Amino acid sequence: MDSPISLQALLTAAGPDDALDLRIKEAALEQYMLVGIRRTSADDIAKRAGVNRTTLYRRMGGRDEITRAAFTHEVRRTLAEIGERIGEIEDPLERHTRGFIFTVTTLRDHPMIRRLLVVDKDEVLSWLTLEAGEILRIATVFVMAQVSANRARLGLNDNGQTEFYATTVVRLIHSLVLTPDAPPQLDTEEQLRDYVVRYLQPLFTAP
């Protein structure tokens, strides 16, 4: 079955990476997971990527630009994984439900997020909240595509609320991942499923 959004388009939404750009982004993520963002210099990233500092700045910019690009790359990669995992689910309501559950659990268990919250909690939380506009925008585009495709399979027209619903879901998932101890307490897959069926599904299927 075709995915409701092109995974390749999602992965290359900001322009296709060449091998060197990709190597720099992945080197940055690896270095951040070792010592955190604050304790990583541009020289550290350049050394891990096997490039000199001049090449690093010419290709990616300074550390903030590299960090933003690296996080955006990881978001696209993770969304592609989620899209593949739910893409074979035939029933649109079940795909909607499993998509929400799998996204929350995947992000909560994401090795990079978990590691960065240990080694550099304050800095990573800043990047995932105050600096998260582009990340949330990409996630919203992905969810909008999923919602549109699943509503079409149910024979429902676009009710003009697809973007609103997608932004609401993305903001909810963002909060559940970064602030898991606040209500609503959705700690298990069963609790997540019940929440989707009770509260999100009626909005998703609204005429």
Side-chain angles (χ1 to χ4, degrees):
M1 175 186 297
D2 291 337
S3 170
I5 186 171
S6 166
L7 298 183
Q8 187 62 31
L10 179 69
L11 286 169
T12 60
D17 282 334
D18 63 17
L20 182 54
D21 286 345
L22 183 60
R23 193 164 83 232
I24 292 171
K25 293 175 186 179
E26 292 183 345
L29 294 174
E30 290 169 3
Q31 187 67 26
Y32 296 158
M33 290 175 69
L34 283 177
V35 300
I37 300 170
R38 281 180 296 182
R39 287 182 288 176
T40 293
S41 68
D43 286 336
D44 293 330
I45 297 170
K47 182 178 180 180
R48 181 169 288 275
V51 299
N52 59 48
R53 189 170 183 172
T54 300
T55 299
L56 183 77
Y57 277 98
R58 186 176 70 249
R59 299 297 292 257
M60 305 294 295
R63 195 192 64 171
D64 284 355
E65 289 78 16
I66 296 169
T67 302
R68 187 170 289 106
F71 279 2
T72 299
H73 163 71
E74 184 60 22
V75 166
R76 290 193 174 106
R77 189 202 65 76
T78 302
L79 289 175
E81 176 188 344
I82 292 169
E84 289 178 346
R85 286 286 298 271
I86 66 175
E88 296 303 318
I89 300 174
E90 294 285 348
D91 180 74
L93 290 179
E94 181 62 15
R95 179 185 285 193
H96 171 260
T97 300
R98 288 299 304 165
F100 184 86
I101 294 170
F102 186 64
T103 300
V104 172
T105 56
T106 295
L107 294 177
R108 282 177 172 173
D109 294 335
H110 195 292
M112 186 194 77
I113 295 175
R114 291 172 68 90
R115 175 62 181 167
L116 285 176
L117 288 175
V118 171
V119 299
D120 201 0
K121 184 176 182 178
D122 291 343
E123 186 75 7
V124 74
L125 284 177
S126 176
W127 275 100
L128 295 179
T129 54
L130 298 176
E131 302 291 337
E134 179 67 5
I135 290 172
L136 297 181
R137 185 193 68 79
I138 293 168
T140 299
V141 170
F142 177 79
V143 174
M144 285 177 62
Q146 296 284 341
V147 170
S148 294
N150 287 329
R151 281 180 59 86
R153 289 186 175 90
L154 289 169
L156 297 171
N157 295 325
D158 188 338
N159 59 1
Q161 298 297 314
T162 298
E163 183 175 1
F164 172 78
Y165 179 76
T167 57
T168 300
V169 169
V170 168
R171 290 285 187 172
L172 174 60
I173 292 173
H174 186 254
S175 178
L176 290 173
V177 171
L178 296 182
T179 318
D181 293 334
Q185 293 297 140
L186 303 177
D187 300 323
T188 68
E189 289 197 16
E190 290 75 16
Q191 289 171 329
L192 288 165
R193 176 175 287 276
D194 182 69
Y195 188 90
V196 174
V197 173
R198 285 175 181 266
Y199 304 113
L200 297 183
Q201 192 166 293
L203 294 175
F204 166 66
T205 58

PDB file of all heavy atoms in Angstrom, residues 84-109:
ATOM      1  N   GLU A  84       6.310   4.118   7.866  1.00  0.00           N
ATOM      2  CA  GLU A  84       6.476   2.742   7.392  1.00  0.00           C
ATOM      3  C   GLU A  84       5.778   1.750   8.315  1.00  0.00           C
ATOM      4  O   GLU A  84       5.176   0.774   7.867  1.00  0.00           O
ATOM      5  CB  GLU A  84       7.958   2.416   7.268  1.00  0.00           C
ATOM      6  CG  GLU A  84       8.643   3.140   6.118  1.00  0.00           C
ATOM      7  CD  GLU A  84      10.126   2.845   6.054  1.00  0.00           C
ATOM      8  OE1 GLU A  84      10.669   2.298   7.046  1.00  0.00           O
ATOM      9  OE2 GLU A  84      10.745   3.152   5.018  1.00  0.00           O
ATOM     10  N   ARG A  85       5.856   2.009   9.630  1.00  0.00           N
ATOM     11  CA  ARG A  85       5.264   1.077  10.593  1.00  0.00           C
ATOM     12  C   ARG A  85       3.740   1.033  10.497  1.00  0.00           C
ATOM     13  O   ARG A  85       3.136  -0.025  10.667  1.00  0.00           O
ATOM     14  CB  ARG A  85       5.667   1.479  12.014  1.00  0.00           C
ATOM     15  CG  ARG A  85       7.102   1.170  12.366  1.00  0.00           C
ATOM     16  CD  ARG A  85       7.321  -0.317  12.586  1.00  0.00           C
ATOM     17  NE  ARG A  85       6.558  -0.861  13.686  1.00  0.00           N
ATOM     18  CZ  ARG A  85       6.967  -0.904  14.948  1.00  0.00           C
ATOM     19  NH1 ARG A  85       8.160  -0.392  15.273  1.00  0.00           N
ATOM     20  NH2 ARG A  85       6.216  -1.427  15.894  1.00  0.00           N
ATOM     21  N   ILE A  86       3.109   2.167  10.229  1.00  0.00           N
ATOM     22  CA  ILE A  86       1.643   2.185  10.191  1.00  0.00           C
ATOM     23  C   ILE A  86       1.096   2.097   8.773  1.00  0.00           C
ATOM     24  O   ILE A  86      -0.113   1.972   8.580  1.00  0.00           O
ATOM     25  CB  ILE A  86       1.077   3.445  10.883  1.00  0.00           C
ATOM     26  CG1 ILE A  86       1.456   4.718  10.116  1.00  0.00           C
ATOM     27  CG2 ILE A  86       1.541   3.510  12.327  1.00  0.00           C
ATOM     28  CD1 ILE A  86       0.833   5.979  10.681  1.00  0.00           C
ATOM     29  N   GLY A  87       1.981   2.139   7.781  1.00  0.00           N
ATOM     30  CA  GLY A  87       1.541   2.208   6.392  1.00  0.00           C
ATOM     31  C   GLY A  87       0.790   0.993   5.897  1.00  0.00           C
ATOM     32  O   GLY A  87       0.021   1.086   4.939  1.00  0.00           O
ATOM     33  N   GLU A  88       1.007  -0.163   6.513  1.00  0.00           N
ATOM     34  CA  GLU A  88       0.352  -1.387   6.058  1.00  0.00           C
ATOM     35  C   GLU A  88      -0.953  -1.676   6.788  1.00  0.00           C
ATOM     36  O   GLU A  88      -1.585  -2.692   6.536  1.00  0.00           O
ATOM     37  CB  GLU A  88       1.313  -2.573   6.237  1.00  0.00           C
ATOM     38  CG  GLU A  88       2.581  -2.479   5.381  1.00  0.00           C
ATOM     39  CD  GLU A  88       2.259  -2.361   3.904  1.00  0.00           C
ATOM     40  OE1 GLU A  88       1.342  -3.070   3.431  1.00  0.00           O
ATOM     41  OE2 GLU A  88       2.901  -1.558   3.214  1.00  0.00           O
ATOM     42  N   ILE A  89      -1.352  -0.802   7.712  1.00  0.00           N
ATOM     43  CA  ILE A  89      -2.614  -1.003   8.433  1.00  0.00           C
ATOM     44  C   ILE A  89      -3.762  -0.592   7.519  1.00  0.00           C
ATOM     45  O   ILE A  89      -3.859   0.568   7.112  1.00  0.00           O
ATOM     46  CB  ILE A  89      -2.640  -0.187   9.734  1.00  0.00           C
ATOM     47  CG1 ILE A  89      -1.495  -0.623  10.655  1.00  0.00           C
ATOM     48  CG2 ILE A  89      -3.981  -0.349  10.443  1.00  0.00           C
ATOM     49  CD1 ILE A  89      -1.346   0.229  11.904  1.00  0.00           C
ATOM     50  N   GLU A  90      -4.630  -1.534   7.191  1.00  0.00           N
ATOM     51  CA  GLU A  90      -5.693  -1.279   6.212  1.00  0.00           C
ATOM     52  C   GLU A  90      -6.794  -0.385   6.770  1.00  0.00           C
ATOM     53  O   GLU A  90      -7.244   0.546   6.108  1.00  0.00           O
ATOM     54  CB  GLU A  90      -6.294  -2.611   5.745  1.00  0.00           C
ATOM     55  CG  GLU A  90      -5.330  -3.481   4.949  1.00  0.00           C
ATOM     56  CD  GLU A  90      -5.121  -2.957   3.544  1.00  0.00           C
ATOM     57  OE1 GLU A  90      -5.886  -2.069   3.125  1.00  0.00           O
ATOM     58  OE2 GLU A  90      -4.192  -3.432   2.869  1.00  0.00           O
ATOM     59  N   ASP A  91      -7.253  -0.680   7.968  1.00  0.00           N
ATOM     60  CA  ASP A  91      -8.390   0.046   8.535  1.00  0.00           C
ATOM     61  C   ASP A  91      -7.973   1.462   8.928  1.00  0.00           C
ATOM     62  O   ASP A  91      -7.052   1.644   9.723  1.00  0.00           O
ATOM     63  CB  ASP A  91      -8.930  -0.689   9.760  1.00  0.00           C
ATOM     64  CG  ASP A  91     -10.112   0.029  10.368  1.00  0.00           C
ATOM     65  OD1 ASP A  91     -11.206  -0.029   9.777  1.00  0.00           O
ATOM     66  OD2 ASP A  91      -9.931   0.681  11.415  1.00  0.00           O
ATOM     67  N   PRO A  92      -8.620   2.503   8.379  1.00  0.00           N
ATOM     68  CA  PRO A  92      -8.181   3.875   8.651  1.00  0.00           C
ATOM     69  C   PRO A  92      -8.330   4.296  10.108  1.00  0.00           C
ATOM     70  O   PRO A  92      -7.520   5.071  10.613  1.00  0.00           O
ATOM     71  CB  PRO A  92      -9.058   4.728   7.723  1.00  0.00           C
ATOM     72  CG  PRO A  92     -10.212   3.866   7.360  1.00  0.00           C
ATOM     73  CD  PRO A  92      -9.719   2.453   7.396  1.00  0.00           C
ATOM     74  N   LEU A  93      -9.364   3.799  10.799  1.00  0.00           N
ATOM     75  CA  LEU A  93      -9.514   4.138  12.215  1.00  0.00           C
ATOM     76  C   LEU A  93      -8.410   3.504  13.042  1.00  0.00           C
ATOM     77  O   LEU A  93      -7.861   4.129  13.960  1.00  0.00           O
ATOM     78  CB  LEU A  93     -10.888   3.695  12.736  1.00  0.00           C
ATOM     79  CG  LEU A  93     -12.093   4.472  12.208  1.00  0.00           C
ATOM     80  CD1 LEU A  93     -13.381   3.912  12.802  1.00  0.00           C
ATOM     81  CD2 LEU A  93     -11.968   5.953  12.535  1.00  0.00           C
ATOM     82  N   GLU A  94      -8.080   2.251  12.719  1.00  0.00           N
ATOM     83  CA  GLU A  94      -7.005   1.586  13.442  1.00  0.00           C
ATOM     84  C   GLU A  94      -5.661   2.230  13.098  1.00  0.00           C
ATOM     85  O   GLU A  94      -4.793   2.361  13.966  1.00  0.00           O
ATOM     86  CB  GLU A  94      -6.981   0.098  13.112  1.00  0.00           C
ATOM     87  CG  GLU A  94      -5.892  -0.701  13.833  1.00  0.00           C
ATOM     88  CD  GLU A  94      -6.029  -0.688  15.345  1.00  0.00           C
ATOM     89  OE1 GLU A  94      -7.094  -0.312  15.872  1.00  0.00           O
ATOM     90  OE2 GLU A  94      -5.053  -1.061  16.019  1.00  0.00           O
ATOM     91  N   ARG A  95      -5.496   2.650  11.854  1.00  0.00           N
ATOM     92  CA  ARG A  95      -4.245   3.329  11.484  1.00  0.00           C
ATOM     93  C   ARG A  95      -4.116   4.627  12.254  1.00  0.00           C
ATOM     94  O   ARG A  95      -3.025   4.968  12.743  1.00  0.00           O
ATOM     95  CB  ARG A  95      -4.206   3.607   9.984  1.00  0.00           C
ATOM     96  CG  ARG A  95      -2.933   4.332   9.567  1.00  0.00           C
ATOM     97  CD  ARG A  95      -2.934   4.720   8.108  1.00  0.00           C
ATOM     98  NE  ARG A  95      -2.698   3.588   7.238  1.00  0.00           N
ATOM     99  CZ  ARG A  95      -2.406   3.691   5.945  1.00  0.00           C
ATOM    100  NH1 ARG A  95      -2.312   4.889   5.388  1.00  0.00           N
ATOM    101  NH2 ARG A  95      -2.206   2.637   5.208  1.00  0.00           N
ATOM    102  N   HIS A  96      -5.217   5.357  12.374  1.00  0.00           N
ATOM    103  CA  HIS A  96      -5.212   6.601  13.145  1.00  0.00           C
ATOM    104  C   HIS A  96      -4.841   6.323  14.600  1.00  0.00           C
ATOM    105  O   HIS A  96      -3.988   7.009  15.184  1.00  0.00           O
ATOM    106  CB  HIS A  96      -6.603   7.240  13.048  1.00  0.00           C
ATOM    107  CG  HIS A  96      -6.813   8.407  13.963  1.00  0.00           C
ATOM    108  ND1 HIS A  96      -7.486   8.297  15.157  1.00  0.00           N
ATOM    109  CD2 HIS A  96      -6.438   9.716  13.858  1.00  0.00           C
ATOM    110  CE1 HIS A  96      -7.524   9.477  15.746  1.00  0.00           C
ATOM    111  NE2 HIS A  96      -6.898  10.345  14.990  1.00  0.00           N
ATOM    112  N   THR A  97      -5.447   5.306  15.184  1.00  0.00           N
ATOM    113  CA  THR A  97      -5.187   4.977  16.589  1.00  0.00           C
ATOM    114  C   THR A  97      -3.750   4.506  16.787  1.00  0.00           C
ATOM    115  O   THR A  97      -3.039   4.975  17.675  1.00  0.00           O
ATOM    116  CB  THR A  97      -6.165   3.892  17.076  1.00  0.00           C
ATOM    117  OG1 THR A  97      -7.506   4.388  16.945  1.00  0.00           O
ATOM    118  CG2 THR A  97      -5.904   3.522  18.525  1.00  0.00           C
ATOM    119  N   ARG A  98      -3.327   3.563  15.947  1.00  0.00           N
ATOM    120  CA  ARG A  98      -1.976   3.035  16.083  1.00  0.00           C
ATOM    121  C   ARG A  98      -0.927   4.103  15.778  1.00  0.00           C
ATOM    122  O   ARG A  98       0.150   4.104  16.367  1.00  0.00           O
ATOM    123  CB  ARG A  98      -1.772   1.848  15.143  1.00  0.00           C
ATOM    124  CG  ARG A  98      -2.503   0.577  15.542  1.00  0.00           C
ATOM    125  CD  ARG A  98      -2.048   0.065  16.889  1.00  0.00           C
ATOM    126  NE  ARG A  98      -0.598  -0.150  16.926  1.00  0.00           N
ATOM    127  CZ  ARG A  98       0.088  -0.324  18.054  1.00  0.00           C
ATOM    128  NH1 ARG A  98      -0.530  -0.283  19.221  1.00  0.00           N
ATOM    129  NH2 ARG A  98       1.382  -0.529  18.009  1.00  0.00           N
ATOM    130  N   GLY A  99      -1.242   5.005  14.869  1.00  0.00           N
ATOM    131  CA  GLY A  99      -0.308   6.081  14.570  1.00  0.00           C
ATOM    132  C   GLY A  99      -0.029   6.939  15.788  1.00  0.00           C
ATOM    133  O   GLY A  99       1.127   7.286  16.072  1.00  0.00           O
ATOM    134  N   PHE A 100      -1.076   7.286  16.510  1.00  0.00           N
ATOM    135  CA  PHE A 100      -0.906   8.089  17.723  1.00  0.00           C
ATOM    136  C   PHE A 100      -0.116   7.319  18.771  1.00  0.00           C
ATOM    137  O   PHE A 100       0.850   7.838  19.350  1.00  0.00           O
ATOM    138  CB  PHE A 100      -2.276   8.480  18.276  1.00  0.00           C
ATOM    139  CG  PHE A 100      -2.216   9.386  19.476  1.00  0.00           C
ATOM    140  CD1 PHE A 100      -2.117  10.759  19.313  1.00  0.00           C
ATOM    141  CD2 PHE A 100      -2.256   8.867  20.761  1.00  0.00           C
ATOM    142  CE1 PHE A 100      -2.062  11.604  20.426  1.00  0.00           C
ATOM    143  CE2 PHE A 100      -2.196   9.698  21.875  1.00  0.00           C
ATOM    144  CZ  PHE A 100      -2.102  11.069  21.701  1.00  0.00           C
ATOM    145  N   ILE A 101      -0.513   6.078  19.011  1.00  0.00           N
ATOM    146  CA  ILE A 101       0.161   5.268  20.031  1.00  0.00           C
ATOM    147  C   ILE A 101       1.631   5.072  19.678  1.00  0.00           C
ATOM    148  O   ILE A 101       2.520   5.261  20.521  1.00  0.00           O
ATOM    149  CB  ILE A 101      -0.530   3.898  20.180  1.00  0.00           C
ATOM    150  CG1 ILE A 101      -1.942   4.071  20.730  1.00  0.00           C
ATOM    151  CG2 ILE A 101       0.282   2.964  21.085  1.00  0.00           C
ATOM    152  CD1 ILE A 101      -2.780   2.803  20.679  1.00  0.00           C
ATOM    153  N   PHE A 102       1.885   4.691  18.445  1.00  0.00           N
ATOM    154  CA  PHE A 102       3.255   4.385  18.048  1.00  0.00           C
ATOM    155  C   PHE A 102       4.132   5.635  18.080  1.00  0.00           C
ATOM    156  O   PHE A 102       5.304   5.578  18.457  1.00  0.00           O
ATOM    157  CB  PHE A 102       3.285   3.747  16.665  1.00  0.00           C
ATOM    158  CG  PHE A 102       4.650   3.278  16.259  1.00  0.00           C
ATOM    159  CD1 PHE A 102       5.291   2.271  16.960  1.00  0.00           C
ATOM    160  CD2 PHE A 102       5.305   3.867  15.195  1.00  0.00           C
ATOM    161  CE1 PHE A 102       6.562   1.851  16.607  1.00  0.00           C
ATOM    162  CE2 PHE A 102       6.577   3.453  14.827  1.00  0.00           C
ATOM    163  CZ  PHE A 102       7.214   2.438  15.536  1.00  0.00           C
ATOM    164  N   THR A 103       3.564   6.788  17.707  1.00  0.00           N
ATOM    165  CA  THR A 103       4.348   8.020  17.737  1.00  0.00           C
ATOM    166  C   THR A 103       4.749   8.375  19.165  1.00  0.00           C
ATOM    167  O   THR A 103       5.913   8.692  19.439  1.00  0.00           O
ATOM    168  CB  THR A 103       3.561   9.178  17.110  1.00  0.00           C
ATOM    169  OG1 THR A 103       3.246   8.853  15.754  1.00  0.00           O
ATOM    170  CG2 THR A 103       4.372  10.466  17.136  1.00  0.00           C
ATOM    171  N   VAL A 104       3.796   8.333  20.085  1.00  0.00           N
ATOM    172  CA  VAL A 104       4.106   8.666  21.484  1.00  0.00           C
ATOM    173  C   VAL A 104       5.141   7.704  22.059  1.00  0.00           C
ATOM    174  O   VAL A 104       6.136   8.123  22.662  1.00  0.00           O
ATOM    175  CB  VAL A 104       2.831   8.662  22.346  1.00  0.00           C
ATOM    176  CG1 VAL A 104       3.180   8.821  23.833  1.00  0.00           C
ATOM    177  CG2 VAL A 104       1.881   9.768  21.917  1.00  0.00           C
ATOM    178  N   THR A 105       4.931   6.410  21.870  1.00  0.00           N
ATOM    179  CA  THR A 105       5.855   5.433  22.456  1.00  0.00           C
ATOM    180  C   THR A 105       7.232   5.481  21.793  1.00  0.00           C
ATOM    181  O   THR A 105       8.257   5.332  22.461  1.00  0.00           O
ATOM    182  CB  THR A 105       5.276   4.014  22.380  1.00  0.00           C
ATOM    183  OG1 THR A 105       4.960   3.691  21.012  1.00  0.00           O
ATOM    184  CG2 THR A 105       4.014   3.907  23.218  1.00  0.00           C
ATOM    185  N   THR A 106       7.254   5.708  20.480  1.00  0.00           N
ATOM    186  CA  THR A 106       8.541   5.809  19.783  1.00  0.00           C
ATOM    187  C   THR A 106       9.354   6.989  20.286  1.00  0.00           C
ATOM    188  O   THR A 106      10.559   6.872  20.544  1.00  0.00           O
ATOM    189  CB  THR A 106       8.327   5.941  18.264  1.00  0.00           C
ATOM    190  OG1 THR A 106       7.729   4.750  17.763  1.00  0.00           O
ATOM    191  CG2 THR A 106       9.647   6.179  17.540  1.00  0.00           C
ATOM    192  N   LEU A 107       8.711   8.129  20.456  1.00  0.00           N
ATOM    193  CA  LEU A 107       9.426   9.320  20.907  1.00  0.00           C
ATOM    194  C   LEU A 107       9.835   9.211  22.370  1.00  0.00           C
ATOM    195  O   LEU A 107      10.914   9.660  22.761  1.00  0.00           O
ATOM    196  CB  LEU A 107       8.576  10.563  20.667  1.00  0.00           C
ATOM    197  CG  LEU A 107       8.315  10.901  19.201  1.00  0.00           C
ATOM    198  CD1 LEU A 107       7.399  12.113  19.080  1.00  0.00           C
ATOM    199  CD2 LEU A 107       9.622  11.152  18.454  1.00  0.00           C
ATOM    200  N   ARG A 108       8.977   8.620  23.179  1.00  0.00           N
ATOM    201  CA  ARG A 108       9.343   8.441  24.586  1.00  0.00           C
ATOM    202  C   ARG A 108      10.548   7.520  24.749  1.00  0.00           C
ATOM    203  O   ARG A 108      11.366   7.708  25.656  1.00  0.00           O
ATOM    204  CB  ARG A 108       8.158   7.872  25.368  1.00  0.00           C
ATOM    205  CG  ARG A 108       7.087   8.888  25.713  1.00  0.00           C
ATOM    206  CD  ARG A 108       5.924   8.235  26.429  1.00  0.00           C
ATOM    207  NE  ARG A 108       4.975   9.225  26.921  1.00  0.00           N
ATOM    208  CZ  ARG A 108       3.793   8.916  27.464  1.00  0.00           C
ATOM    209  NH1 ARG A 108       3.440   7.639  27.585  1.00  0.00           N
ATOM    210  NH2 ARG A 108       3.001   9.876  27.888  1.00  0.00           N
ATOM    211  N   ASP A 109      10.651   6.543  23.877  1.00  0.00           N
ATOM    212  CA  ASP A 109      11.751   5.572  23.960  1.00  0.00           C
ATOM    213  C   ASP A 109      12.905   5.907  23.030  1.00  0.00           C
ATOM    214  O   ASP A 109      13.854   5.127  22.927  1.00  0.00           O
ATOM    215  CB  ASP A 109      11.227   4.168  23.621  1.00  0.00           C
ATOM    216  CG  ASP A 109      10.231   3.659  24.649  1.00  0.00           C
ATOM    217  OD1 ASP A 109      10.293   4.120  25.811  1.00  0.00           O
ATOM    218  OD2 ASP A 109       9.387   2.812  24.293  1.00  0.00           O
TER     219      ASP A 109
END
